[in-house]
Amino acid sequence: IRSRYNLYNDDDGVIVVKVEPYSASAEAGIQKGDLIVKIEDKPVDSVNRYREVLRQFKKGEVIIFSLKRGKADLHAFIKLPE
């Protein structure tokens, strides 16, 4: 996806390819095309690492996603589903 669309070629992270309407991610402002680089200061450089990091948190917990949107660095606070 990165090379096809020339997105974030110099940055590590996971590109958001879909955001479900009314989901916790959507409510936190995460958008298709954002690059998730960290979850609670834990680097995320692959989908497997993303899943591994998420499993460390409990349902209902609020966690901070660090992401890039274009050239902007953003943070999103997401409450994990219960």
Side-chain angles (χ1 to χ4, degrees):
I1 290 176
R2 288 172 188 258
S3 61
R4 183 174 180 187
Y5 296 104
N6 197 26
L7 294 170
Y8 308 109
N9 289 326
D10 297 329
D11 297 306
D12 289 333
V14 176
I15 295 176
V16 176
V17 294
K18 182 177 182 181
V19 179
E20 293 293 331
Y22 310 107
S23 67
S25 296
E27 290 178 9
I30 292 181
Q31 298 176 10
K32 180 179 175 181
D34 287 349
L35 181 73
I36 299 170
V37 293
K38 292 182 183 177
I39 299 173
E40 289 287 338
D41 290 325
K42 297 176 186 197
V44 176
D45 58 3
S46 69
V47 173
N48 286 338
R49 178 70 178 144
Y50 171 86
R51 290 178 182 148
E52 179 183 311
V53 170
L54 277 183
R55 283 194 290 269
Q56 297 173 15
F57 300 98
K58 297 176 183 170
K59 294 177 180 179
E61 203 169 344
V62 176
I63 57 177
I64 302 170
F65 280 59
S66 299
L67 49 102
K68 291 183 180 267
R69 179 174 302 145
K71 295 184 183 200
D73 294 322
L74 305 170
H75 293 91
F77 296 81
I78 298 178
K79 183 176 181 181
L80 297 177
E82 296 190 41

